[in-house]
Amino acid sequence: MTFSTTPMSLTFKARCKYLFARLLIKLGKLKHDDFTKEELESSLNTSLPHGFNFDIPVGIAKVSLLEGAVNLDESHQTINAQFLASIVIESAGTTLYRAHFIVVLGATPFYDKGTKSVCLQAITFDHITLINDDYALIGDTQSLLSAFLPGNLNTLLGKTVQSALSLVTAGTSAKVQNYLTLFLAGSRQTILDYHTPQIRAAVLKEIAKQPTHFQLRQDVWREALFSRYGERVGIEDNRLRFYF
């Protein structure tokens, strides 16, 4: 095996570590390097919290990914990222709905030797789970109707929900009326289920904006070492393992 010189961008201490590890590789004593769940979670959470909006029939819906945890699935060779997230729906200055939920994404790690980068492939949106906590809220019927009706709400109280909504949403589409009916029903799960397709599409759209290829840096000795001698990556012993 022929060794190149150490990257000049490394500090003296890092170069010493690089040279020692390189010797161990040559002697067959160092076969892999590991990144733990804690290291991966620390890297993941540097970009959080992260918020984004998605379109709804009336009002504003915002999802925020608050913090993330990592699980490593050796049997399927996937990295699963579990995010604590929130959704807030507002209209006319009134909060119609808010909730915390868990969203789980999956991806397969792959090392591209040609570009010296670690890639995430086959990214999937696995599922959403509602959290019933003190943060959860659905605006009550009176508050919801008041947000859309400029007049006296008391005149509506003897009417059916559909009649009330017809007045509140006069001139708007049936889609808006049906949407508002979700909140009058008072089910946190039903509202989240209704928005799950939009949340899924919005999350995947946000992921598409982010880099899924991570170029190994030459000023970080472990990454520089693997970019020179690495062969592949995989998941083993609950770690993301870089094989030499």
Side-chain angles (χ1 to χ4, degrees), residues 45-200:
N45 282 290
T46 57
S47 60
L48 300 178
H50 178 72
F52 48 90
N53 297 339
F54 63 88
D55 293 332
I56 56 176
V58 59
I60 299 172
K62 181 176 181 179
V63 169
S64 296
L65 302 180
L66 303 174
E67 58 184 60
V70 171
N71 289 306
L72 301 174
D73 186 340
E74 184 172 345
S75 61
H76 294 93
Q77 288 294 295
T78 57
I79 300 175
N80 298 316
Q82 179 176 285
F83 294 94
L84 171 64
S86 68
I87 178 172
V88 178
I89 298 174
E90 296 180 340
S91 185
T94 299
T95 299
L96 304 183
Y97 176 75
R98 72 183 185 210
H100 281 141
F101 60 94
I102 298 294
V103 58
V104 179
L105 305 175
T108 302
F110 169 77
Y111 180 58
D112 186 337
K113 293 180 66 175
T115 61
K116 308 296 185 184
S117 59
V118 178
C119 315
L120 294 177
Q121 298 181 323
I123 298 174
T124 60
F125 186 106
D126 291 343
H127 64 270
I128 284 179
T129 303
L130 177 68
I131 298 176
N132 285 309
D133 58 8
D134 292 339
Y135 179 77
L137 168 73
I138 299 178
D140 61 41
T141 302
Q142 183 166 327
S143 296
L144 177 59
L145 294 178
S146 296
F148 288 90
L149 186 67
N152 188 350
L153 179 63
N154 291 331
T155 61
L156 294 177
L157 296 182
K159 299 179 180 295
T160 65
V161 168
Q162 187 60 42
S163 296
L165 284 174
S166 295
L167 290 175
V168 171
T169 60
T172 62
S173 67
K175 183 178 181 180
V176 172
Q177 296 185 36
N178 292 335
Y179 180 69
L180 293 179
T181 304
L182 285 173
F183 300 93
L184 298 176
S187 170
R188 297 169 182 169
Q189 185 65 59
T190 298
I191 295 171
L192 186 63
D193 289 344
Y194 176 89
H195 288 105
T196 292
Q198 292 106 317
I199 294 172
R200 177 185 289 109

